[in-house]
Structure formats: C-alpha cells, structure tokens
C-alpha cells in the first residue's frame, strides 16, 4: 500500500518532482565527472612529467673506487640494491675512467700530454661508427675505439698500434685502435660529466686526450687500479601513479646508506629523482585539492537549488500534510512518505550518473589547453565512482525530505493560521548565521593567502588537504550571497516607492508584489547570485591562469630567445658565437650578456649585464613590476663606456711591438663589432724588445666568423715583485701599420695595472637597477647614489630603477641589472679582466630555436619563450583546475536556469487566481507580461549585479592564490587577476536573455490557459 501511495503522491506534482530529478541528476553527474577528472588529471600529470623528464632528473648515479678484485662483489651489491629500490628493475649502465697514461713517445717528459682509457656499457646505442669496429675483449693488444674529435686532436687512425705507460702504473700497455666513433648527441645531458668524451680533449695544467674506449672486461682486467667505477640506473617510470611517488622517493634516497651499511664504504649515490618525486607528489596532491574548490562550490549550489525545490514542494503540500496529520498519520508515516518520494527521485540518478560522467569528460577533451597537452581523459566507472554517486544522491534525498519533515507536526488549523504574508527577514538572517559564516569564510581565505595552497602539514608530519582552506572560496560565495539577501527588502521597498508614483500599472504592481513578499524572491535571487559569481570567478581564474603562464614564460626566458653555454669553444670562439647567433632566422636584435651569482655588499644576488641600448627591444619586464618603463631604463642605464682603438678593415692578425724593463706577463683586452669583450694572453714579455702576434681568426673558432670592427681596449698586467715599465712601440694589423697613441705602463707590487689604448676620464658612478629587496638592503632608492661592493670590489653606483622581480630570477632572489659595456669599462678601469659572455639574448620574429637543432657542435642551450609558454600551458597538473572550473561553470549556469524556471513557474501558478481577477478588471496581456517581467527583472537584475560584485571580491581575494606552477610552487612573477570583461559581459547577456525568455514563455502559457479562477485548498 505504501509503495503505490508514494508513486501516486510523487506524480501529483510532476513539475516539482521533475525539477528535483533534474537537480539531483545534474549534481550527481557533474560531481562524479569532477571526481573522475581530478583523479585522471593527477594520473596524467604524473605520467606526462615522467615521460618528459630529462636524463639528469631520473638517473641515479652510484660511484666508488674499484679494483679488478673488488669490482665483481660491489657490482652485484649495487645491482641488487638498485633493483630493490624500484618497482621494476631499471636499466643499469656501468662506466669507468682510468688513471692518466702518457702519450706515446712522451713518457720521459716532465709534463707530457696524457691519455685516458674508459669503458661505457652500450656505447654503440649512443654513438655511430665513423670507421672500423667496436672493441672486443681478448688477449693480445688492447682493442680501443676513439671519438672523432679525439682522433683529430691526436692523429690516431684505425689500425694504429702504440705502447703507453701509466703515470701511476708503470706497466706498459699495448693498444690497437680498431674504431673511430661519433656521439649521437655529444652535448646532451648524458655526457654532462663526461667532458673529455664529448670534446675529445681537455686543456688545463695538462692536456688530456681520449678517452680510448675499451670493452668492460678488458678495462676491469687491465685498467682497474683502484679507479672510479660508476653505475647509472635509468628507470622506466611512465606507469608511475601518484600514490607511488613518495614511497619510491624514500626508497631511492636510501640507496647510498643501505650500500654503505652493506659493506660498500666508498659508495656514493647521487640522484635528483627523490627530490623530483617528492615535489611531484606535492604537486599532485595540491592539484587534486585545488580541484576540490569548484567541487565544493558546486555542492553548495546544488544543495541550495535542491532545498529551494524541496521548499516549494513542501509549501504545496502543507495543507495536504496537515490534513493527513489531522486524520491520524504519525510523524513516522509522513517521514516514510517523504523519504520514499525522495529516494524514488534520487536512486535512479545514483545509478545513471557514473555512466554519464565519462561522456561529459569527453567534452572536456575539447578544451584547447587539454587538447594541446595531449591528455585524453577516458576514465571508466569503478566502485569509487558509484560510492560518490550514491553518496551525493542520498544526501540530495535527505535535503529533499527535510522541509517536508519540518512541517509534519502542524495540524490543519495551525497551517491555516500560519498562511499569509511572510516576514521580511529570514531565519538565517534573524539568527545572524550569515555573519558567523562570514567570519569562517574570512578565516579560510586568510589561511589560503598565508599558506599559498590548500595543503598544509598534518599532525603526523606529512602533507594533507586542509578542509577549511578548501571550503574558503565556496563559503565566501555563499556568505556574500546571503549578506546580499539583506538588501532584498530594502531595495524592493525603494522600488515600490519609485514605481507607485508612475501612471503605469505593471511596474507598480510588480514592485508592490516583491515588496509584499520579499522572502519569496530571496531564494531564487541567492541561487542566481551564487551561480553568476561562480561563472565569473571561473572565467577569471581561467583567464588569469593563461595570462600567468605567459608571464612566467616571459619572466623565466627574459627575452624571446636566450642562449647559454661556454663563452668560448673550439668550434665557435668568443668572437664567432655572436655572429652565428645574430644570423639565425628571425633575429632582430642580439646582445651578449653576463648572468651569474655575485656578492653585492654581503648579499648573494644575481648579476645581469645586458646592452642597455637594446633593452627596449628584447628585455621582457612586466610593466607593473617597475615604476619605470623598459624604455626609460634603457635610456638611464647606460653609463660611461671605455674607448677603443678600432682596427681598420677586416684583419686576421694583430701584431704588437713593446719594450719592457723586466719580464712582464701581459694580456690584451679587445672587443668585436657586437660588443663582445675578450682578453688574450700575450705570454710573458721578456726584458727588452718583444714582438707578439695575435691570431684574431682563432678567436672566432673553427666555423665562426668575426663581426668587425675589432677594437683594442687596453693592456692588463699582473702585479710584480719589482717595478716593470712597458712602452708600446708599434702596432700592425695584417702587417699594415696602425696609428696608435703613445702607450706606457708601469707595474709594481700594488696590484694589477692597466693602460687603455684610448684615454678617457675615470668612469663615474655605474648606473644600476636593483630588485626591491636588494635596494632595501643597500638602503638606496631610485635616483640615489652610493657605494656598493660587487664581488668584494667597491664600486660607486647610482640607482636608476627598482623592480619587484628581475627577469630570469626565482622567487625571492635578489638581482642587479647593469649595462654590459659600462660594467666592462669599470672592470677595465680597475685593471680587472673582462667578464665573459655567458649568454646571448635575442629578439626574434619567429622560431629561431629550431635552427639550432642543426648545429649541435655549437654547444648551446636554448630557452625559447614560445616553447616555454607552450610547455607551461600543456602541463596537466598546472592546467587541470581549468577543466574543473569549466565543468563547474557550465553546471552552475544550468542550475541557475533550472532553479529560476521552477521558481518562476510555481510562483506564476500560485497566483492564477490573482491574475484572473486582474484580467477580469481589464488588465491586458501586455500589462500582465509587464507585471511578471517587473517581478522577475528585480530578481534577475539584483542577481546579476550582486553576483558580479561578489565575484570581483572573491576573485581579488582568492584567484591569485590558487594559480600555482605545475610544481605547486608560488608563481614568479606574482599572479595578476585578469577578468575577461568581454567574455563576462557576453555571459551576463546570455544569462539575462535566457531568463527573460523563460519569463516570456511563462506569460504566454498563462495567456493561453485563460487565467481561470480556481480555489486554493
């Protein structure tokens, strides 16, 4: 009997039950989809990070000295320990480097050139043979393969046999060269610690060639004389899940300690992987926790929308429930009826939602940033999904039956006496609950702004999701909307006064109706306000995130393209690098740069030197980070520069004739047409007349060309025990005389000395730009001059600009920016050698970085702003919040439209008799529509305005603190709120259009029904 009664009772109110069904289905489906999405994005983010991780990030290196006797046991221990640390045994490569051996024929020299032997497992996978074969173990001469660069430097060819002796091991070793090879990627990360293998030669106190690569068994038998052995573990972590990150990090971090405890006292394990995995685990947790923010917002919105529907349903059944109560129905029976009706609506939603979630996520795959990242969301319903679905559905059923239970104790007479005009203040407002929620929301947002993420340290010392911080934005939206309800009675009374003075009927009656029963309209207004606020906050967060990715890329790169690498190399010398880089396709401006850590008056800071004249073309500084524009900094940063003697034509050599009174080590400082400074050793000038020739072409490298003119800037000599005087007697370029001013120098014990080729006054204070924290430390502001110690040398400086954060710096890193030529002039005036160009900054109109792929021999690392921005945008962990926000945004708008439709339809149906009377009194159809439009326009207008204002407040307080990097770190430079006003205005217009279309449809339906009079019971 109870079952059919529940069904009949449910179908007696089809509109409200259908609205409840739609609300619950929307809530369960969206929340299930968001749960699937958060889990899928976390998995995809970890997988993408592991797939794109570099060799240096994932490899674990274990090294220890070995001999032929100790190697087998140590090798077994290392391999066993590494296999235990990883879920799947990684690929292990063993490499060795020998002690030094003398070049053939130089064994008896005091400073011979040296050879080294080596072994590397699987070298044939990372290199190709130019000639010959790979070495094999065996008796007789040692078979060895040599790199092409080392073969060119030593003259060794395939078939060459020689005998060499070790510097520490006198036993002779007979060697036969059987192959010449070329590394596939000689300047890749794999060979970062293998400079000799990648370059073939190392020049220092001794010149070393090699290594001559031999088979592993051969090396252990012939060269393992307590030399260093290295094991490199390369794991395949593409199937790693977020739950495995921290346990794996701990296992890898303990490899070294476990090996030492196991008897390998000399074993040293080095890996960046534990740090990376820990950071990735934190990022994964933060990403998932941040995605709970739109989930909670949607939960509150769904709960409120359902409560509105439930309240309307309870209001319609108040008299029915009172009659049942008067006829003997108890509270348990009424609760069973209400619960059965709620479950009849909720349970089908719980079953269907897990199957609707995946198709909904398929729409997320269409979002540009998800599609660009290559992530494809294709989750399947599992037990956890059904638990979430049933949990949401049961909670919705409880919300649906609560209002019915609240009125189940009233009798028919009590319900009749309770009917009438409602009060002007709701229960929540009268109790002050909205103010209490405001305090809680304020505390949550304060914690979010303090900690920077919704994750805090738990009592156990680990990381966990802070429920208060997570709920902050949702509570702020709810509280703001509830506070806005306090304005409904006041604004409605004001509207009533204004419209009552006008002769038109519809506005006056509509405003009077709202003023008469404000609480009837407060519920839909709050629902719309929250939905609009969620929509605008979602749009603002997405726009802010996209802007922040570009800001981060511009800040990290500093220029369109930044190239770093050695300032000099055999292939491209100091004077050849700039010429080659400036000739890359699309390059419109180029400047050499020095970028490195330095000591500034006791503070560790980044020193950045660029050509001030080109800052406006290539220096990326966000305008809000400085009180001066980049153009203003460019004009004020250039200071006094050194003069130079420009050599005529395009000389290949320059010859100096000088007379010295005592032996004097001397260096020549010169620059090219691109402003690159270089010092060249002239050797030790002997007492008397000296003639020294400098090969300028060598400064460009084998494949480089010089940008002329070349200018001579000065001569620098080191301090001497006794005074030495120098006089320059002649200067020639390619054998032709060059007119040079008289140049003399006196060097003593006081320190290094310098004489310029073109004399200028002592340079004045060096203009500098400081970060705000460094300026505060130095107690210098814009326009102020003082003295600062840079690399422990006191320099007069003048501050021409202060920036909040310097491009290319990390968060909180102090920095100083100077003009390249001005800095070099101050260095030269102090008899210091010029700083090398450690980087090149380029302004490009296209993708110049792609052209570098064809020149691996240049040995440069490119940082392309466009590629960096794309990488940041495509990071699933960083971009995951955007998809969740879009899902929540669309669901919020549907909730708003559905709630407005139901409330407006029910309100119109309740007033059928009133409309019929107005119709009988001669009120026309247009006036009827005007009355409805006025009532609903009040709700819509107030909601749009309040929702927009609320979104602005929440956006300013919250959005900059939930936009994080893919590593869950604070963004540098700081996040700037970006509200897309065009998209926001379009959204508000579309929402208003849809809502007024609903009102027009209701008015038309009322007119068609004829507005017949009917009694209400």
């Amino acid at each position: 009997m109870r079952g059919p009664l529940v069904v009949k009772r449910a179908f007696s109110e089809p509109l409200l039950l259908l609205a409840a069904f739609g609300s619950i289905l929307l809530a369960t489906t969206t929340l299930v989809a968001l749960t699937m999405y958060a889990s899928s994005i976390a998995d995809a983010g970890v997988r993408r990070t592991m797939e794109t991780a570099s060799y240096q990030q994932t490899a674990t290196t274990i090294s220890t000295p070995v001999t032929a006797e100790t190697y087998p046991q140590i090798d077994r221990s290392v391999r066993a320990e590494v296999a235990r640390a990883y879920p799947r045994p990684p690929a292990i490569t063993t490499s060795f480097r020998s002690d030094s051996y003398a070049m053939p024929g130089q064994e008896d020299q005091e400073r011979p050139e040296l050879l080294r032997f080596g072994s590397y497992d699987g070298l044939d996978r990372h290199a190709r043979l130019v000639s010959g074969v790979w070495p094999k173990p065996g008796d007789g001469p040692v078979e060895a393969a040599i790199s092409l660069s080392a073969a060119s430097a030593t003259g060794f060819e395939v078939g060459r046999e020689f005998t060499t002796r070790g510097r520490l091991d006198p036993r002779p070793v007979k060697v036969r060269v059987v192959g010449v090879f070329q590394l596939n990627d000689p300047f890749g990360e794999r060979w970062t610690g293998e400079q000799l293998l990648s370059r073939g030669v190392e020049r220092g106190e001794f010149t070393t060639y090699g290594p001559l690569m031999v088979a592993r068994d051969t090396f252990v038998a012939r060269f393992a004389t307590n030399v260093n052995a290295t094991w490199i573990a390369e794991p395949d972590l593409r199937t790693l899940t977020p739950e495995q990150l921290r346990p794996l990090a701990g296992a890898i971090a303990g490899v070294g300690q476990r090996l030492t405890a196991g008897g390998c006292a000399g074993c040293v394990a080095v890996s960046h992987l534990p740090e990376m995995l820990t950071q990735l685990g934190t990022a994964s947790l933060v990403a998932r926790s941040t995605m709970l923010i739109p989930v909670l917002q949607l939960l509150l919105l769904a709960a409120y929308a359902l409560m509105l529907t439930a309240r309307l349903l309870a209001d319609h059944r108040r008299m029915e429930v009172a009659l049942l109560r008067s006829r003997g129905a108890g509270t348990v029976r009424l609760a069973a009826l209400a619960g059965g009706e709620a479950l009849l609506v909720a349970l089908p939603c719980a079953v269907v939602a897990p199957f609707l979630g995946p198709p909904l996520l398929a729409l997320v795959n269409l979002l540009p940033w998800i599609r660009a990242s290559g992530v494809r969301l294709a989750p399947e319903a599992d037990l956890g999904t059904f638990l979430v679905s049933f949990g949401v559905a049961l909670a919705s059923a409880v919300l649906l039956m609560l209002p019915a239970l609240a009125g189940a104790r009233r009798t028919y007479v009590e319900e009749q006496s309770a009917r009438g005009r409602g009060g002007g203040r709701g229960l929540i407002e009268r109790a002050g609950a909205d103010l209490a929620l405001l305090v809680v929301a304020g505390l949550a947002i304060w914690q979010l702004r303090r900690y920077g993420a919704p994750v805090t340290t738990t009592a156990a010392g680990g990381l966990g999701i802070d429920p208060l911080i997570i709920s902050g934005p949702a509570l702020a939206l709810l509280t703001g909307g509830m506070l806005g309800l306090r304005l409904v009675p006041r604004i409605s009374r004001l509207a009533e006064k204004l419209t009552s003075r006008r002769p038109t009927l519809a506005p006056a009656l509509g405003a009077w109706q709202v003023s008469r029963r404000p609480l009837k309209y407060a519920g839909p207004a709050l629902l719309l306000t929250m939905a609009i606020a969620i929509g605008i906050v979602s749009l603002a967060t997405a726009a802010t995130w996209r802007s922040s990715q570009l800001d981060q890329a511009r800040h990290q790169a500093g220029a369109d393209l930044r190239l770093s690498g050695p300032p000099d190399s055999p292939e491209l010398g100091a004077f050849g690098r700039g010429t080659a880089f400036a000739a890359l396709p699309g390059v419109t401006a180029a400047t050499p740069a020095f970028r490195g850590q330095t000591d500034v008056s006791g503070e560790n800071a980044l020193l950045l030197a660029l050509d001030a004249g080109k800052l406006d073309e290539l220096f990326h500084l966000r305008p809000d980070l400085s009180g001066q524009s980049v153009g203003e900094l460019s004009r004020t940063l250039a200071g006094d520069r050194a003069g130079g003697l420009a050599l005529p034509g395009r000389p290949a050599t320059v010859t100096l004739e000088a007379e010295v009174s005592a032996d004097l080590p001397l260096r020549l400082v010169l620059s090219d047409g691109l402003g690159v400074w270089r010092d060249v050793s002239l050797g030790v000038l002997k007492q008397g007349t000296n003639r020294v020739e400098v090969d300028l072409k060598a400064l460009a490298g084998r494949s480089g060309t010089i940008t002329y003119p070349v200018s001579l800037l000065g001569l620098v000599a080191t301090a001497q025990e006794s005074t030495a005087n120098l006089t320059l007697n002649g200067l020639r370029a390619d054998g032709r005389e060059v007119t040079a001013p008289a140049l003399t120098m006196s060097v003593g014990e006081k320190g290094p000395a310098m004489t310029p080729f073109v004399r200028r006054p002592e340079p004045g204070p060096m203009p500098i730009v400081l970060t705000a924290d460094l300026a505060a430390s130095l107690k210098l502001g814009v326009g102020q001059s003082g003295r600062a110690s840079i690399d422990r040398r006191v320099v007069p400086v003048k501050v021409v600009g202060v920036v909040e954060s310097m491009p290319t710096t990390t968060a909180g890193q102090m920095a100083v920016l100077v003009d390249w030529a001005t800095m070099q002039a101050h260095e030269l005036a102090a008899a210091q050698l010029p700083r090398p160009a450690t980087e090149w900054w380029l302004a490009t109109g296209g993708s110049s970085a792609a052209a570098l792929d064809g020149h691996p021999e240049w040995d440069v690392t490119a940082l392309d702003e466009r590629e960096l921005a794309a990488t940041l945008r495509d990071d699933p962990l960083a971009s995951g919040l955007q998809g969740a926000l879009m899902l929540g945004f669309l669901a919020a708008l549907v909730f708003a439209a559905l709630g407005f439709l139901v409330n407006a339809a029910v309100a119109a149906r309740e007033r059928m008799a009133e409309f019929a009377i107005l119709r009988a009194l001669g009120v026309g159809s247009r006036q009827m529509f005007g009355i409805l439009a006025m009532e609903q326009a009040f709700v819509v207008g107030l909601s749009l305005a309040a929702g927009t204002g609320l979104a602005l407040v929440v956006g300013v307080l919250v959005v900059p603190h939930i936009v994080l990097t893919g590593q869950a770190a604070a963004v540098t430079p700081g996040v700037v709120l970006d509200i897309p006003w065009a998209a926001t205005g379009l959204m508000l217009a579309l929402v208003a259009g849809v809502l007024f279309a609903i009102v027009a449809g209701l008015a038309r339906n009322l007119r068609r029904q004829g507005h017949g009079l009917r009694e209400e019971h």
Side-chain angles (χ1 to χ4, degrees), residues 615-631:
L615 286 186
D616 209 15
E617 297 178 77
L618 51 78
F619 190 61
H620 293 168
L621 178 67
R622 203 171 67 186
D624 67 300
L625 296 178
S626 172
Q628 300 85 24
S629 67
V630 175

Side-chain angles (χ1 to χ4, degrees), residues 238-307:
R238 290 174 294 179
T239 60
L240 208 60
T241 63
E243 292 73 21
Q244 295 174 303
L245 295 175
R246 292 187 180 275
L248 179 58
I252 297 172
V255 166
Q257 293 180 349
R258 291 192 294 271
L259 283 172
T260 302
C264 183
C267 283
V268 176
V270 177
S271 179
H272 298 293
L273 189 56
E275 179 184 356
M276 175 188 174
L277 293 176
T278 302
Q279 188 179 56
L280 185 59
T282 301
S284 175
L285 178 62
V286 170
R288 283 181 291 180
S289 63
T290 306
M291 280 184 272
L292 287 176
I293 292 176
V295 169
L296 291 179
Q297 291 176 352
L298 191 62
L299 272 175
L300 280 178
L301 191 66
Y304 190 73
L306 195 59
M307 288 179 65

Side-chain angles (χ1 to χ4, degrees), residues 56-104:
Q56 282 190 333
Q57 288 177 310
T58 59
T60 298
T61 301
I62 302 168
S63 59
T64 186
V66 298
T67 63
E69 293 75 21
T70 61
Y71 169 73
Q73 177 60 37
I74 295 176
D75 181 64
R76 287 192 295 270
S77 299
V78 169
R79 292 178 183 272
E81 189 57 54
V82 168
R84 283 194 293 269
Y86 290 89
R88 291 189 299 173
I92 298 179
T93 300
T94 309
S95 65
F96 305 85
R97 291 298 173 267
S98 73
D99 292 324
S100 299
Y101 285 73
M103 279 287 285

Side-chain angles (χ1 to χ4, degrees), residues 866-889:
R866 296 173 183 83
E867 293 182 1
L868 181 58
T871 301
L872 292 174
R873 287 196 304 266
D874 296 346
D875 185 350
L877 292 179
S879 62
L881 179 61
Q882 316 313 306
L885 287 171
M886 290 301 103
L887 277 175
F889 165 65

Side-chain angles (χ1 to χ4, degrees), residues 188-235:
E189 289 187 338
R190 180 178 295 274
W191 315 114
T192 298
E194 302 278 2
Q195 297 298 320
L196 184 60
L197 181 58
S198 60
R199 300 178 188 275
V201 58
E202 285 183 348
R203 303 186 188 275
E205 187 177 355
F206 287 85
T207 299
T208 304
Y209 302 100
L212 278 74
M213 306 302 288
V214 302
R216 180 178 21 162
D217 293 343
T218 301
F219 189 97
V220 172
R222 304 291 292 272
F223 301 100
T225 55
N226 203 36
V227 297
N228 205 51
T230 301
W231 291 262
I232 303 173
E234 301 177 61

